[in-house]
Amino acid sequence: MKVIDFNLPIKQLADQYDDFIPLMVELGFTKIKIPGMLESVGRLVNLNKGYRAMGIDKDKVVATFRDHGFEVINHDN
């Protein structure tokens, strides 16, 4: 089972799942494609901080990952 933990750093999730980055870009996290961004900010920022910072609807993020076969945890923080 693929698990997206909203408390884990984005870089860790990207390293774990090949389809993570394309889904993030689809959701509007376009800055993740900027060279170096994943290696720097992605090590410090988790999805709970990321969706707030980018102004992206949390329910949309949760639904998208679930629709792609992920179990989503710790998104209530």
Coordinates of all heavy atoms in Angstrom, one line a residue:
M1 N 0.8 -1.2 0.0 CA 0.0 0.0 0.0 C 0.9 1.2 0.0 O 1.9 1.3 0.8 CB -0.9 0.0 1.2 CG -1.7 1.2 1.6 SD -2.9 1.9 0.4 CE -4.3 0.8 0.6
K2 N 0.6 2.2 -0.9 CA 1.3 3.4 -0.9 C 0.6 4.4 0.1 O -0.6 4.5 0.1 CB 1.2 4.0 -2.3 CG 1.8 3.2 -3.4 CD 1.9 3.8 -4.7 CE 0.6 4.2 -5.3 NZ 0.7 4.7 -6.7
V3 N 1.5 5.0 0.9 CA 1.0 5.9 2.0 C 1.6 7.3 1.8 O 2.8 7.4 1.7 CB 1.3 5.3 3.4 CG1 0.8 6.2 4.5 CG2 0.7 3.9 3.6
I4 N 0.7 8.3 1.8 CA 1.1 9.7 1.8 C 0.9 10.2 3.3 O -0.3 10.3 3.7 CB 0.3 10.5 0.8 CG1 0.7 10.1 -0.6 CG2 0.6 12.0 1.0 CD1 2.1 10.4 -1.0
D5 N 2.0 10.5 4.0 CA 1.9 11.0 5.3 C 2.1 12.5 5.2 O 3.2 12.9 4.8 CB 2.9 10.3 6.2 CG 2.9 10.8 7.6 OD1 2.3 11.9 7.9 OD2 3.4 10.1 8.5
F6 N 1.1 13.3 5.5 CA 1.2 14.8 5.4 C 2.3 15.4 6.3 O 2.6 16.6 6.2 CB -0.1 15.4 5.6 CG -1.0 15.6 4.4 CD1 -1.2 14.5 3.5 CD2 -1.6 16.8 4.1 CE1 -1.9 14.7 2.3 CE2 -2.3 16.9 2.9 CZ -2.5 15.9 2.1
N7 N 2.8 14.6 7.2 CA 3.8 15.1 8.2 C 5.2 14.8 7.7 O 6.2 15.4 8.3 CB 3.6 14.5 9.6 CG 2.4 15.1 10.3 OD1 2.0 16.2 10.0 ND2 1.8 14.3 11.1
L8 N 5.4 14.0 6.7 CA 6.7 13.7 6.1 C 7.2 14.8 5.2 O 6.4 15.4 4.5 CB 6.7 12.4 5.4 CG 6.5 11.1 6.3 CD1 6.5 9.9 5.4 CD2 7.6 11.0 7.4
P9 N 8.5 15.0 5.1 CA 9.0 16.0 4.2 C 8.7 15.6 2.7 O 8.7 14.4 2.4 CB 10.6 16.0 4.4 CG 10.7 15.4 5.7 CD 9.6 14.5 6.0
I10 N 8.4 16.6 1.9 CA 8.0 16.3 0.5 C 9.1 15.6 -0.2 O 8.9 14.7 -1.0 CB 7.7 17.7 -0.2 CG1 6.4 18.2 0.4 CG2 7.7 17.5 -1.7 CD1 6.0 19.6 -0.1
K11 N 10.4 15.9 0.1 CA 11.5 15.2 -0.6 C 11.5 13.7 -0.3 O 11.7 12.9 -1.2 CB 12.8 15.8 -0.1 CG 14.1 15.0 -0.4 CD 14.4 15.2 -1.9 CE 15.8 14.7 -2.1 NZ 15.9 13.6 -3.1
Q12 N 11.2 13.3 0.9 CA 11.1 11.9 1.3 C 10.0 11.2 0.5 O 10.2 10.1 0.0 CB 10.8 11.8 2.8 CG 10.9 10.4 3.3 CD 10.8 10.3 4.8 OE1 11.1 11.3 5.5 NE2 10.3 9.2 5.3
L13 N 8.8 11.9 0.4 CA 7.7 11.3 -0.4 C 8.1 11.1 -1.9 O 7.8 10.1 -2.5 CB 6.5 12.1 -0.2 CG 5.9 12.1 1.2 CD1 4.8 13.1 1.3 CD2 5.4 10.7 1.6
A14 N 8.8 12.2 -2.4 CA 9.2 12.1 -3.8 C 10.2 11.0 -4.1 O 10.2 10.4 -5.1 CB 9.8 13.5 -4.2
D15 N 11.1 10.8 -3.1 CA 12.1 9.7 -3.2 C 11.4 8.3 -3.2 O 11.9 7.4 -3.8 CB 13.2 9.8 -2.2 CG 14.1 11.0 -2.4 OD1 14.1 11.5 -3.5 OD2 14.8 11.3 -1.4
Q16 N 10.3 8.3 -2.5 CA 9.6 7.0 -2.2 C 8.7 6.6 -3.4 O 8.6 5.4 -3.7 CB 8.8 7.1 -0.9 CG 8.5 5.8 -0.2 CD 7.9 6.1 1.2 OE1 7.8 7.2 1.6 NE2 7.6 5.1 1.8
Y17 N 8.1 7.6 -4.0 CA 7.1 7.2 -5.0 C 7.3 8.0 -6.4 O 7.4 9.2 -6.4 CB 5.7 7.6 -4.5 CG 5.3 7.0 -3.2 CD1 5.2 7.7 -2.1 CD2 5.1 5.6 -3.2 CE1 4.8 7.1 -0.9 CE2 4.8 5.0 -2.0 CZ 4.6 5.7 -0.8 OH 4.3 5.1 0.4
D18 N 7.5 7.2 -7.5 CA 7.8 7.8 -8.8 C 6.6 8.8 -9.2 O 6.9 9.7 -10.0 CB 8.0 6.8 -9.8 CG 9.3 6.0 -9.6 OD1 10.2 6.5 -8.9 OD2 9.4 4.8 -10.0
D19 N 5.4 8.5 -8.9 CA 4.3 9.3 -9.3 C 3.9 10.5 -8.5 O 3.0 11.2 -8.7 CB 3.0 8.4 -9.5 CG 2.7 7.5 -8.3 OD1 3.5 7.4 -7.4 OD2 1.6 6.9 -8.3
F20 N 4.7 10.7 -7.4 CA 4.5 11.8 -6.5 C 4.6 13.2 -7.1 O 3.7 14.0 -7.0 CB 5.4 11.7 -5.2 CG 5.1 12.7 -4.2 CD1 4.1 12.7 -3.4 CD2 6.0 13.8 -4.1 CE1 3.8 13.7 -2.4 CE2 5.8 14.8 -3.2 CZ 4.7 14.7 -2.3
I21 N 5.8 13.4 -7.8 CA 6.0 14.7 -8.4 C 5.0 15.1 -9.4 O 4.5 16.2 -9.4 CB 7.5 14.8 -8.9 CG1 8.5 14.7 -7.8 CG2 7.7 16.1 -9.7 CD1 8.5 15.8 -6.8
P22 N 4.7 14.2 -10.4 CA 3.7 14.5 -11.4 C 2.3 14.9 -10.8 O 1.6 15.8 -11.2 CB 3.6 13.3 -12.3 CG 4.9 12.6 -12.1 CD 5.3 12.9 -10.7
L23 N 1.9 14.2 -9.7 CA 0.7 14.5 -9.0 C 0.8 15.9 -8.3 O -0.2 16.6 -8.3 CB 0.3 13.4 -8.0 CG -0.1 12.1 -8.6 CD1 -0.3 11.0 -7.5 CD2 -1.4 12.3 -9.4
M24 N 1.9 16.2 -7.7 CA 2.1 17.5 -7.1 C 1.9 18.6 -8.1 O 1.3 19.6 -7.8 CB 3.4 17.5 -6.4 CG 3.5 16.6 -5.2 SD 2.5 17.2 -3.8 CE 3.6 18.5 -3.2
V25 N 2.6 18.4 -9.3 CA 2.5 19.5 -10.3 C 1.1 19.6 -10.8 O 0.6 20.7 -10.9 CB 3.5 19.1 -11.5 CG1 3.2 20.0 -12.6 CG2 4.9 19.2 -11.0
E26 N 0.4 18.5 -11.0 CA -1.0 18.5 -11.4 C -1.9 19.3 -10.4 O -2.8 20.0 -10.7 CB -1.5 17.1 -11.5 CG -3.0 16.9 -11.9 CD -3.4 15.5 -11.9 OE1 -2.7 14.6 -12.4 OE2 -4.5 15.2 -11.4
L27 N -1.6 19.2 -9.1 CA -2.3 19.8 -8.0 C -2.0 21.3 -7.9 O -2.7 22.1 -7.3 CB -2.0 19.2 -6.7 CG -2.7 17.9 -6.5 CD1 -2.1 17.1 -5.3 CD2 -4.2 18.1 -6.2
G28 N -0.9 21.8 -8.6 CA -0.6 23.2 -8.6 C 0.7 23.5 -7.8 O 1.0 24.7 -7.7
F29 N 1.4 22.5 -7.3 CA 2.7 22.7 -6.7 C 3.8 22.8 -7.7 O 4.7 22.0 -7.8 CB 3.0 21.5 -5.7 CG 2.1 21.4 -4.5 CD1 0.9 20.6 -4.6 CD2 2.3 22.1 -3.4 CE1 0.1 20.5 -3.5 CE2 1.5 22.0 -2.3 CZ 0.4 21.2 -2.3
T30 N 3.6 23.8 -8.6 CA 4.5 24.0 -9.7 C 6.0 24.3 -9.3 O 6.9 24.0 -10.1 CB 4.0 25.0 -10.7 OG1 3.8 26.2 -10.0 CG2 2.7 24.5 -11.3
K31 N 6.2 24.9 -8.2 CA 7.5 25.3 -7.7 C 8.4 24.1 -7.5 O 9.6 24.2 -7.4 CB 7.4 26.2 -6.5 CG 6.8 27.5 -6.8 CD 6.8 28.4 -5.5 CE 6.2 29.8 -5.9 NZ 6.3 30.7 -4.8
I32 N 7.8 22.9 -7.3 CA 8.5 21.7 -7.1 C 9.4 21.4 -8.3 O 10.4 20.7 -8.1 CB 7.6 20.5 -6.8 CG1 8.3 19.5 -6.0 CG2 6.9 20.0 -8.0 CD1 7.4 18.5 -5.3
K33 N 9.1 21.9 -9.5 CA 9.9 21.7 -10.7 C 11.1 22.6 -10.8 O 12.0 22.4 -11.6 CB 9.1 21.8 -11.9 CG 8.0 20.8 -12.0 CD 7.2 20.7 -13.3 CE 7.1 22.0 -14.1 NZ 6.2 21.9 -15.2
I34 N 11.2 23.7 -10.0 CA 12.3 24.6 -10.0 C 13.6 23.9 -9.6 O 13.6 23.2 -8.5 CB 12.1 25.8 -9.1 CG1 10.8 26.6 -9.6 CG2 13.3 26.7 -9.1 CD1 10.4 27.7 -8.7
P35 N 14.6 23.9 -10.4 CA 15.9 23.2 -10.0 C 16.3 23.6 -8.6 O 16.4 24.7 -8.2 CB 16.9 23.7 -11.1 CG 16.0 24.1 -12.2 CD 14.8 24.6 -11.7
G36 N 16.6 22.5 -7.8 CA 17.1 22.7 -6.5 C 16.0 22.9 -5.4 O 16.3 22.7 -4.2
M37 N 14.8 23.2 -5.8 CA 13.7 23.4 -4.9 C 13.4 22.1 -4.0 O 13.3 22.2 -2.8 CB 12.4 23.9 -5.6 CG 11.3 24.3 -4.6 SD 11.7 25.8 -3.6 CE 11.5 27.0 -4.8
L38 N 13.3 21.0 -4.7 CA 13.0 19.8 -4.0 C 14.1 19.4 -3.0 O 13.9 19.0 -1.9 CB 12.8 18.6 -5.0 CG 12.4 17.3 -4.4 CD1 11.0 17.4 -3.7 CD2 12.2 16.3 -5.5
E39 N 15.4 19.6 -3.5 CA 16.5 19.3 -2.6 C 16.7 20.2 -1.4 O 17.2 19.8 -0.4 CB 17.8 19.3 -3.5 CG 17.9 18.2 -4.5 CD 17.9 16.8 -3.9 OE1 18.5 16.7 -2.8 OE2 17.4 15.9 -4.5
S40 N 16.2 21.4 -1.5 CA 16.4 22.4 -0.4 C 15.1 22.5 0.4 O 15.0 21.9 1.5 CB 16.8 23.7 -0.9 OG 15.8 24.2 -1.9
V41 N 14.1 23.1 -0.1 CA 12.8 23.3 0.6 C 12.1 22.0 0.8 O 11.5 21.8 1.9 CB 11.9 24.4 -0.2 CG1 10.6 24.5 0.5 CG2 12.7 25.7 -0.3
G42 N 12.2 21.1 -0.1 CA 11.5 19.8 0.0 C 12.0 19.0 1.1 O 11.3 18.1 1.6
R43 N 13.2 19.3 1.6 CA 13.7 18.5 2.8 C 13.1 19.0 4.1 O 13.1 18.4 5.1 CB 15.2 18.6 2.9 CG 15.9 17.9 1.8 CD 17.4 18.0 1.9 NE 18.1 17.4 0.8 CZ 18.3 16.1 0.7 NH1 17.9 15.2 1.6 NH2 18.9 15.6 -0.4
L44 N 12.6 20.3 4.1 CA 12.1 20.9 5.3 C 10.5 21.0 5.4 O 10.0 21.0 6.4 CB 12.6 22.3 5.4 CG 14.2 22.4 5.4 CD1 14.6 23.9 5.3 CD2 14.8 21.8 6.6
V45 N 9.9 21.1 4.2 CA 8.5 21.3 4.1 C 7.7 20.0 3.9 O 8.1 19.2 3.1 CB 8.1 22.3 3.0 CG1 6.6 22.5 2.8 CG2 8.8 23.6 3.3
N46 N 6.7 19.8 4.7 CA 5.8 18.7 4.5 C 4.5 19.1 3.8 O 4.4 20.3 3.5 CB 5.5 18.0 5.9 CG 4.7 18.9 6.9 OD1 3.9 19.8 6.5 ND2 5.0 18.8 8.1
L47 N 3.6 18.2 3.5 CA 2.4 18.6 2.8 C 1.5 19.5 3.6 O 0.8 20.3 3.0 CB 1.7 17.3 2.3 CG 2.2 16.7 1.0 CD1 1.5 15.4 0.8 CD2 1.9 17.6 -0.1
N48 N 1.4 19.3 4.9 CA 0.6 20.2 5.7 C 1.0 21.7 5.5 O 0.2 22.6 5.4 CB 0.6 19.8 7.2 CG -0.3 18.6 7.4 OD1 -1.4 18.6 7.0 ND2 0.2 17.6 8.1
K49 N 2.3 21.9 5.6 CA 2.9 23.3 5.4 C 2.8 23.7 3.9 O 2.5 24.9 3.6 CB 4.3 23.4 5.8 CG 4.5 23.2 7.3 CD 6.0 23.2 7.6 CE 6.2 22.9 9.1 NZ 7.7 22.8 9.4
G50 N 3.0 22.8 3.0 CA 3.0 23.1 1.6 C 1.7 23.5 1.0 O 1.6 24.5 0.3
Y51 N 0.6 22.8 1.3 CA -0.7 23.2 0.7 C -1.1 24.6 1.3 O -1.7 25.4 0.6 CB -1.7 22.1 0.9 CG -2.4 22.0 2.3 CD1 -3.4 22.9 2.6 CD2 -2.0 21.0 3.1 CE1 -4.0 22.8 3.9 CE2 -2.6 20.9 4.4 CZ -3.6 21.8 4.7 OH -4.2 21.6 6.0
R52 N -0.8 24.8 2.6 CA -1.1 26.1 3.1 C -0.3 27.3 2.5 O -0.9 28.3 2.1 CB -0.9 26.2 4.6 CG -1.9 25.3 5.4 CD -1.6 25.4 6.9 NE -2.3 24.4 7.6 CZ -1.8 23.4 8.3 NH1 -0.5 23.3 8.4 NH2 -2.5 22.5 8.9
A53 N 1.0 27.0 2.3 CA 1.8 28.1 1.7 C 1.4 28.4 0.3 O 1.5 29.5 -0.2 CB 3.3 27.6 1.8
M54 N 1.0 27.4 -0.5 CA 0.7 27.5 -1.9 C -0.8 27.9 -2.1 O -1.2 28.2 -3.2 CB 1.0 26.2 -2.6 CG 2.4 25.9 -2.7 SD 3.4 27.1 -3.6 CE 2.7 26.9 -5.3
G55 N -1.6 27.9 -1.0 CA -3.0 28.2 -1.1 C -3.8 27.2 -1.9 O -4.8 27.5 -2.6
I56 N -3.4 25.9 -1.7 CA -4.1 24.8 -2.4 C -5.0 24.1 -1.5 O -4.7 23.9 -0.3 CB -3.0 23.8 -3.0 CG1 -2.2 24.6 -4.1 CG2 -3.7 22.6 -3.6 CD1 -1.0 23.8 -4.6
D57 N -6.2 23.8 -1.9 CA -7.2 23.2 -1.1 C -6.8 21.8 -0.6 O -6.5 20.9 -1.4 CB -8.5 23.1 -1.9 CG -9.6 22.4 -1.1 OD1 -10.0 23.0 0.0 OD2 -10.1 21.4 -1.5
K58 N -6.8 21.6 0.7 CA -6.3 20.4 1.3 C -7.2 19.2 0.8 O -6.7 18.1 0.5 CB -6.4 20.4 2.8 CG -6.0 19.1 3.5 CD -6.2 19.2 5.0 CE -7.7 19.1 5.3 NZ -8.0 18.9 6.7
D59 N -8.5 19.4 0.8 CA -9.4 18.3 0.4 C -9.1 17.8 -1.1 O -9.2 16.7 -1.4 CB -10.9 18.7 0.5 CG -11.3 19.0 2.0 OD1 -10.6 18.3 2.9 OD2 -12.2 19.8 2.2
K60 N -8.7 18.8 -1.9 CA -8.3 18.4 -3.3 C -7.1 17.6 -3.3 O -7.0 16.6 -4.0 CB -8.1 19.7 -4.1 CG -7.8 19.4 -5.6 CD -7.6 20.7 -6.3 CE -7.2 20.4 -7.7 NZ -6.9 21.6 -8.5
V61 N -6.1 17.9 -2.5 CA -4.8 17.2 -2.4 C -5.1 15.8 -1.9 O -4.7 14.8 -2.5 CB -3.8 17.9 -1.4 CG1 -2.6 17.1 -1.3 CG2 -3.5 19.3 -2.0
V62 N -5.9 15.7 -0.8 CA -6.2 14.3 -0.2 C -7.0 13.5 -1.3 O -6.6 12.3 -1.5 CB -7.1 14.5 1.0 CG1 -7.7 13.2 1.5 CG2 -6.3 15.2 2.1
A63 N -8.0 14.1 -1.9 CA -8.8 13.3 -2.9 C -7.9 12.9 -4.1 O -8.1 11.7 -4.6 CB -9.9 14.2 -3.4
T64 N -7.0 13.7 -4.6 CA -6.2 13.3 -5.7 C -5.3 12.2 -5.4 O -5.2 11.2 -6.2 CB -5.3 14.6 -6.2 OG1 -6.2 15.6 -6.6 CG2 -4.4 14.2 -7.3
F65 N -4.7 12.2 -4.2 CA -3.8 11.1 -3.9 C -4.6 9.8 -3.6 O -4.2 8.7 -4.1 CB -2.9 11.4 -2.6 CG -1.7 12.2 -3.0 CD1 -1.7 13.6 -2.6 CD2 -0.7 11.7 -3.7 CE1 -0.6 14.3 -3.0 CE2 0.4 12.4 -4.1 CZ 0.5 13.8 -3.7
R66 N -5.8 9.9 -3.0 CA -6.6 8.7 -2.8 C -7.1 8.2 -4.2 O -7.1 7.0 -4.4 CB -7.8 9.1 -2.0 CG -7.5 9.2 -0.5 CD -8.7 9.4 0.4 NE -8.3 9.5 1.8 CZ -9.0 10.1 2.7 NH1 -10.1 10.8 2.4 NH2 -8.6 10.1 4.0
D67 N -7.4 9.1 -5.1 CA -7.9 8.6 -6.4 C -6.7 7.9 -7.2 O -7.0 7.1 -8.1 CB -8.3 9.8 -7.3 CG -9.6 10.4 -6.8 OD1 -10.3 9.8 -6.0 OD2 -9.9 11.5 -7.3
H68 N -5.5 8.1 -6.8 CA -4.4 7.5 -7.4 C -3.8 6.3 -6.6 O -2.7 5.9 -6.8 CB -3.3 8.5 -7.8 CG -3.6 9.3 -8.9 ND1 -4.4 10.5 -8.8 CD2 -3.4 9.2 -10.2 CE1 -4.6 11.0 -10.0 NE2 -4.0 10.3 -10.9
G69 N -4.6 5.8 -5.7 CA -4.3 4.6 -4.9 C -3.5 4.8 -3.7 O -3.0 3.8 -3.2
F70 N -3.4 6.0 -3.2 CA -2.6 6.2 -2.0 C -3.6 6.2 -0.8 O -4.7 6.6 -0.8 CB -2.0 7.6 -2.0 CG -0.8 7.7 -2.9 CD1 -1.0 8.0 -4.2 CD2 0.5 7.4 -2.5 CE1 0.1 8.1 -5.1 CE2 1.6 7.5 -3.3 CZ 1.4 7.9 -4.7
E71 N -3.1 5.7 0.4 CA -3.7 5.9 1.7 C -3.1 7.2 2.1 O -1.9 7.5 2.1 CB -3.4 4.8 2.6 CG -4.0 5.0 4.0 CD -3.5 4.0 5.0 OE1 -2.9 3.0 4.6 OE2 -3.8 4.2 6.2
V72 N -4.0 8.1 2.6 CA -3.6 9.4 3.1 C -3.7 9.5 4.6 O -4.8 9.3 5.1 CB -4.4 10.6 2.4 CG1 -3.9 11.9 2.8 CG2 -4.2 10.4 0.9
I73 N -2.6 9.9 5.3 CA -2.7 10.0 6.7 C -2.1 11.3 7.2 O -1.4 12.0 6.5 CB -1.9 8.8 7.4 CG1 -0.4 8.8 7.1 CG2 -2.5 7.5 7.1 CD1 0.4 7.8 7.8
N74 N -2.5 11.7 8.4 CA -2.0 12.9 9.1 C -2.3 14.2 8.4 O -1.5 15.1 8.4 CB -0.5 12.8 9.4 CG -0.2 11.7 10.4 OD1 -0.9 11.5 11.4 ND2 0.9 10.9 10.2
H75 N -3.4 14.2 7.7 CA -3.8 15.4 6.9 C -4.7 16.3 7.8 O -5.2 17.4 7.3 CB -4.4 15.1 5.6 CG -5.7 14.2 5.7 ND1 -6.9 14.7 6.0 CD2 -5.8 12.9 5.6 CE1 -7.8 13.7 6.1 NE2 -7.1 12.6 5.9
D76 N -4.9 16.0 9.0 CA -5.8 16.8 9.8 C -5.1 17.8 10.7 O -5.7 18.4 11.5 CB -6.7 15.9 10.7 CG -7.6 15.0 10.0 OD1 -8.1 15.4 8.9 OD2 -7.8 13.8 10.4
N77 N -3.8 17.9 10.5 CA -3.0 18.9 11.3 C -3.1 20.3 10.8 O -3.2 20.6 9.7 CB -1.6 18.4 11.4 CG -1.5 17.0 11.9 OD1 -2.4 16.5 12.6 ND2 -0.4 16.3 11.6

